[in-house]
Amino acid sequence: MEELATGLDQSGVRFAWSVREATIGHVSGEYGGGPTMHRAVGSFLTHFGWNSVMESVVAGVPMLAWPMGADQFMNATLLVDQMKVAVRVCEGAETIPNAAELARVLAESVTSASASASAGRVMKRRAMELSKAAMHAIKEGGTSSRTWML
């Protein structure tokens, strides 16, 4: 939690950090909570579970990937390497992201002022395109709707 907090602070971007009610793991100091989505979110640090991915895709928000297990690694491969709407910041439940690297990636993902942020702008554009495609697919008569009805 300290590395995450330091990385967020060093990024120089405004952020909202939402933490769930304490669980046994929280109380014992083993781990912490995560953020919830809001329309003003510029990027989303996520473990890459499918529910988090879908929430971000529909919102058109670029993701910072921290897959920890199971299908999360495949989800990250799809959205980071193939669809390019996310960037990997860390991998594995036992791995802690480097605060300085997290700060850099976070700042690039939400800032459009610097030349180094061009990757962030591209990621945001691609995330918005993916959102439009997802919304088109789930609307009445869309490909998702038609497939579901079969």
Side-chain angles (χ1 to χ4, degrees), residues 35-38 44 49-61 63 131:
T36 58
M37 193 66 68
H38 182 275
F44 179 38
W50 200 242
N51 288 338
S52 296
V53 166
M54 288 293 97
E55 184 176 359
S56 189
V57 164
V58 168
V61 174
M63 294 164 271
S131 174

Side-chain angles (χ1 to χ4, degrees), residues 14-141:
R14 294 179 181 176
F15 63 89
W17 190 340
S18 174
V19 179
R20 294 185 284 182
E21 184 177 321
T23 65
I24 293 170
H26 293 102
V27 173
S28 67
E30 291 180 41
Y31 55 89
T36 58
M37 193 66 68
H38 182 275
R39 66 181 179 85
V41 172
S43 63
F44 179 38
L45 175 62
T46 172
H47 67 308
F48 258 62
W50 200 242
N51 288 338
S52 296
V53 166
M54 288 293 97
E55 184 176 359
S56 189
V57 164
V58 168
V61 174
M63 294 164 271
L64 306 179
W66 184 359
M68 297 184 186
D71 65 328
Q72 297 166 7
F73 298 104
M74 290 303 297
N75 297 343
T77 297
L78 172 66
L79 294 159
V80 173
D81 300 330
Q82 295 176 13
M83 303 195 84
K84 305 204 185 308
V85 294
V87 62
R88 220 176 249 101
V89 296
C90 197
E91 279 195 345
E94 302 298 318
T95 307
I96 299 171
N98 174 276
E101 178 65 9
L102 178 60
R104 183 190 64 75
V105 170
L106 178 59
E108 287 179 2
S109 73
V110 298
T111 306
S112 61
S114 70
S116 65
S118 64
R121 286 192 301 274
V122 169
M123 204 168 51
K124 176 65 177 173
R125 181 183 48 77
R126 293 183 64 84
M128 291 304 294
E129 290 169 357
L130 184 58
S131 174
K132 287 177 187 174
M135 296 307 290
H136 183 73
I138 64 172
K139 74 177 184 177
E140 184 71 34

